[in-house]
């Protein structure tokens, strides 16, 4: 019995690790808003074209973020789509999480 307990414990740990969210799920859920900040940085580099797409993605992820400073900088427009309403506050919130946009 003593020999099988470590094997069972290892098996339980392996199976519980497999039951967790995938990397894609974490990127989509991302309650802290890190994905929003990554897209925000891309939007700052190229404010038109793909940068506009990045800013929209930053707003989408920022609206869902549990980080109050990020979600407070986002509001829905007339059509209900999230938009970053305060670029400076959004950037400051991301920098507070360790991002550097300089």
């Amino acid at each position: 019995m003593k020999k099988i307990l470590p094997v069972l414990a290892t098996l339980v740990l392996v199976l519980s690790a497999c039951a967790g969210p995938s990397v894609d799920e974490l990127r989509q859920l991302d309650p802290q808003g890190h994905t929003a900040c990554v897209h925000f940085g891309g939007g700052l580099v190229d404010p038109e074209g793909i940068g506009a797409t990045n800013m929209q993605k930053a707003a989408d992820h920022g609206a869902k973020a549990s980080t109050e400073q990020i979600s407070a900088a986002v509001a829905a427009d007339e059509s209900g789509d999230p938009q970053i309403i305060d670029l400076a506050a959004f950037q400051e919130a991301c920098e507070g999480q360790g991002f550097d946009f300089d």
Side-chain angles (χ1 to χ4, degrees):
M1 185 67 170
K2 288 183 180 181
K3 292 180 181 179
I4 197 166
L5 286 178
V7 173
L8 288 175
T10 303
L11 182 61
V12 168
L13 288 174
V14 169
L15 290 176
S16 66
C18 293
S22 70
V23 173
D24 288 335
E25 288 172 324
L26 287 174
R27 187 172 43 243
Q28 290 300 315
L29 298 176
D30 187 27
Q32 290 79 29
H34 293 125
T35 302
C37 294
V38 170
H39 287 299
F40 182 76
L44 290 176
V45 172
D46 178 24
E48 297 182 22
I50 194 69
T53 301
N54 279 328
M55 284 300 209
Q56 185 57 54
K57 288 180 178 182
D60 291 341
H61 286 282
K64 299 172 189 170
S66 63
T67 303
E68 187 176 326
Q69 294 82 4
I70 291 176
S71 61
V74 178
D77 63 10
E78 302 83 35
S79 64
D81 294 328
Q83 299 294 321
I84 298 174
I85 56 170
D86 190 342
L87 290 173
F90 199 99
Q91 181 171 343
E92 186 177 317
C94 289
E95 288 173 348
Q97 290 192 8
F99 286 84
D100 184 11
F101 300 112
D102 292 326

